[in-house]
Amino acid sequence: MKKSKLALPALSYSIFSFFSKLTGFLRDIFLASFLGASFMADIFFIALRLPNSFRRSFSEETFNPAYIPIHGKYADQEDKSLQYEFTKKILFSFLIPVILFIIVVEIFMPEILYFFMLSQENQIQQDMLISVSRIIFPYLLVIIISAIFLGNLNANKKFSLSAGISSILNIAIIISIAVHSFINVEKIFYLAWTVIIAGILQVLILLYSINADFWKVFLRYDSRKTKIKEFFSLYWPTFISSSLFQANLIIGMLICSFETGAVAYLYYSERLFFFPLTLIGVAIGIVLIPNLSEYLRNNNRDSAIKHTKKASHYLFCSIFPVTSLLIVLSPEIISLLFERGRFTIESTKNTSLVFSFLLLGLPAATFVRILNPYFFAIEKPKIPLFASLKSNLLNLVLMLTLFKFIGFMGIPLALSISTWVLVLLLYIEHKKRNFFVIDLDIKKQMLKYFLFSIFLFILGQLIKNTDLLISTSNFIQIVFLSSLFFSFYMTFVFFFDRELMDQLILLGNKIFKKAIL
């Protein structure tokens, strides 16, 4: 029971995330062919980034740590209507200021986008960026509504919809590009309105998925007080931390805009980067939050520590080998997915380099998802906030410094270095509180999988340069090396990690039983 409490829900989240990310890759393949790495691509990605810059600030990773512990307190009570009343008040607390914010941004869009137009001399392109951004920015409302309703589902340990909801936007863009030839509309505006229509569909699905009892509470006035202030005392540090991180990404994108096509290189690389991050780090972190909160709420600290260590084991045994494989196959993956239409060989080369530098920080980015939930479960959100402030400041300094020496490549390198610093800062805080401490067993796990991943990297590079693969297609190279890595991985786990092998067998049996019942 305890083993499946983390493993099975995390796997379920990963499966639906995989589908969502798969549709996301298909979307990017269509976009790469449709727009290439042109100024139109830069305009669309900048316009799309504006509302999505707030996604992290209102994402499950940011919203859930503050929402779930308080929701859990109401869920433990006999009167279940209190939890719905709490959700309703949270919803209105966000909707009203966000709607006003959207109106202000729409009015002052030219001034807001001024910094993104420093390197553009064409007035037509500037006007197009302003118009497209005004169309897409109201999508922020969809992000807010999604965060609250998905937080409610996750609090009740329902993770599937939250993992797959973004596939709606991906599928909508794919369909719109596929039928564009039949519609005589400017490409960039056509895509912008597609984003808004997809957002409306997402909201409708979420409204339908919420528990019917919520709407009974929603439609009536209730004077009972709920812990709104307590929620915001937990939420504001995560909001600031996430907003600073997104501000750094925007600044990185602004810096990249001084080199033609660099915004697109960074965009496609980030899309690929978040695939393993979501499937592994985010999946484990999302499932860890309600379980950790429940243990600590019931004063079961030992089980909370054990659960966190188990999560770290899942993390180490997966993220190191995956990172190694992705670095080895980076050029082939980029070429296979995007190299067509206006996305050239040069675009593949540059995007692959950016992706590889981002991957250097992938283990750290996933580990942050394991370290953060504890501080929100004990209602100490300022600790990760201060660590994030230091990390983001370092990231900003590194981006500005490295750009002078290595151009746009300095942006992903700065992000990777600052993420490892964030891990170090969070771990120091854990160690102070004697919660998650890297003991001898964890050190062995880390070193074991790290060295194994180094071996896989060297092996992969040697095989790529042999006559066996050098003249084959990208698809064959990816399939062959992925299969080879997986074979070596399972052999390694069988001989050197029997505990994980037993858990995989147990998990497989549970999935099989669920499938046939």
Side-chain angles (χ1 to χ4, degrees), residues 160 244 252 363 371-372 390 424 486 513:
S160 300
L244 286 172
L371 297 176
N372 262 337
K390 296 173 185 176
L424 178 61
F486 181 74
K513 289 179 181 178

Side-chain angles (χ1 to χ4, degrees), residues 1-7 9 68-69 72-73 76 157 287-311 373-374 376-378 435:
M1 289 291 291
K2 288 183 179 180
K3 290 180 179 179
S4 64
K5 201 171 187 179
L6 177 65
I68 288 177
K73 294 177 182 179
D76 292 340
K157 300 183 179 179
V287 176
L288 182 63
I289 291 170
N291 288 306
L292 202 61
S293 177
E294 182 180 342
Y295 283 133
L296 294 175
R297 198 166 62 241
N298 294 320
N299 298 316
N300 194 349
R301 194 170 188 273
D302 290 340
S303 293
I305 293 174
K306 184 178 179 181
H307 214 62
T308 305
K309 287 185 175 181
K310 182 67 66 177
Y374 167 69
F376 295 94
I378 63 172
F435 189 74

Side-chain angles (χ1 to χ4, degrees), residues 209-266:
S209 67
I210 204 73
N211 193 308
D213 292 335
F214 170 80
W215 298 113
K216 296 177 182 177
V217 174
F218 184 83
L219 296 173
R220 73 176 185 227
Y221 172 76
D222 195 325
S223 61
R224 290 178 295 178
K225 292 184 179 181
T226 53
K227 299 179 184 292
I228 299 295
K229 290 184 178 179
E230 188 176 338
F231 165 80
F232 280 105
S233 68
L234 289 174
Y235 179 72
W236 75 262
T238 65
F239 177 82
I240 293 176
S241 177
S242 298
S243 298
L244 286 172
F245 178 78
Q246 288 300 326
N248 268 321
L249 291 180
I250 292 176
I251 292 172
M253 184 171 61
L254 187 154
I255 295 171
C256 284
S257 68
F258 285 92
E259 296 188 40
T260 302
V263 172
Y265 305 149
L266 186 62

Side-chain angles (χ1 to χ4, degrees), residues 80 136 171 367-368 487 516:
K80 300 299 181 183
I136 293 179
I171 294 171
F367 198 26
V368 167
S487 299
I516 63 175

Side-chain angles (χ1 to χ4, degrees), residues 323-339:
T323 301
S324 178
L325 175 64
L326 290 176
I327 292 176
V328 169
L329 291 175
S330 175
E332 289 74 24
I333 292 172
I334 301 295
S335 177
L336 179 67
L337 292 177
F338 306 126
E339 195 177 302

Side-chain angles (χ1 to χ4, degrees), residues 44-277:
F44 179 70
F45 294 141
I46 289 172
L48 190 62
R49 173 61 63 85
L50 288 176
N52 277 292
S53 296
F54 298 90
R55 182 180 292 278
R56 182 179 173 87
S57 300
F58 298 103
S59 69
E60 296 164 272
E61 295 178 76
T62 305
F63 186 83
N64 286 2
Y67 177 84
I68 288 177
I70 300 174
H71 181 276
K73 294 177 182 179
Y74 289 123
D76 292 340
Q77 299 179 17
E78 291 185 11
D79 187 357
K80 300 299 181 183
S81 66
L82 278 171
Q83 63 180 295
Y84 301 121
E85 181 65 25
F86 170 68
T87 302
K88 181 180 78 172
K89 289 182 177 177
I90 292 294
L91 180 64
F92 282 108
S93 297
F94 277 101
L95 282 183
I96 295 173
V98 166
I99 291 173
L100 294 175
F101 176 68
I102 290 173
I103 294 172
V104 171
V105 170
E106 291 288 318
I107 294 171
F108 294 100
M109 189 66 77
E111 290 76 14
I112 293 171
L113 290 174
Y114 172 77
F115 295 102
F116 293 96
M117 297 185 287
L118 288 177
S119 62
Q120 297 182 18
E121 299 177 357
N122 190 313
Q123 185 62 43
I124 295 176
Q125 293 179 15
Q126 293 181 18
D127 293 341
M128 186 180 293
L129 175 59
I130 293 169
S131 299
V132 172
S133 298
R134 278 177 165 158
I135 295 172
I136 293 179
F137 193 74
Y139 188 78
L140 175 61
L141 205 58
V142 178
I143 293 172
I144 302 300
I145 295 173
S146 297
I148 296 169
F149 285 149
L150 292 177
N152 184 272
L153 292 172
N154 289 344
N156 291 299
K157 300 183 179 179
K158 298 176 180 179
F159 305 103
S160 300
L161 183 59
S162 62
I165 190 71
S166 61
S167 60
I168 295 172
L169 175 60
N170 301 331
I171 294 171
I173 290 178
I174 291 170
I175 293 174
S176 68
I177 292 175
V179 302
H180 176 261
S181 60
F182 301 101
I183 304 173
N184 187 23
V185 180
E186 179 70 38
K187 284 183 178 181
I188 197 76
F189 295 105
Y190 179 68
L191 286 176
W193 283 111
T194 298
V195 171
I196 296 302
I197 294 171
I200 294 172
L201 290 175
Q202 285 179 268
V203 170
L204 291 176
I205 290 173
L206 287 170
L207 295 180
Y208 177 77
S209 67
I210 204 73
N211 193 308
D213 292 335
F214 170 80
W215 298 113
K216 296 177 182 177
V217 174
F218 184 83
L219 296 173
R220 73 176 185 227
Y221 172 76
D222 195 325
S223 61
R224 290 178 295 178
K225 292 184 179 181
T226 53
K227 299 179 184 292
I228 299 295
K229 290 184 178 179
E230 188 176 338
F231 165 80
F232 280 105
S233 68
L234 289 174
Y235 179 72
W236 75 262
T238 65
F239 177 82
I240 293 176
S241 177
S242 298
S243 298
L244 286 172
F245 178 78
Q246 288 300 326
N248 268 321
L249 291 180
I250 292 176
I251 292 172
M253 184 171 61
L254 187 154
I255 295 171
C256 284
S257 68
F258 285 92
E259 296 188 40
T260 302
V263 172
Y265 305 149
L266 186 62
Y267 170 81
Y268 290 121
S269 298
E270 284 182 359
R271 290 286 299 161
L272 287 170
F273 175 81
F274 282 106
F275 184 77
L277 178 61

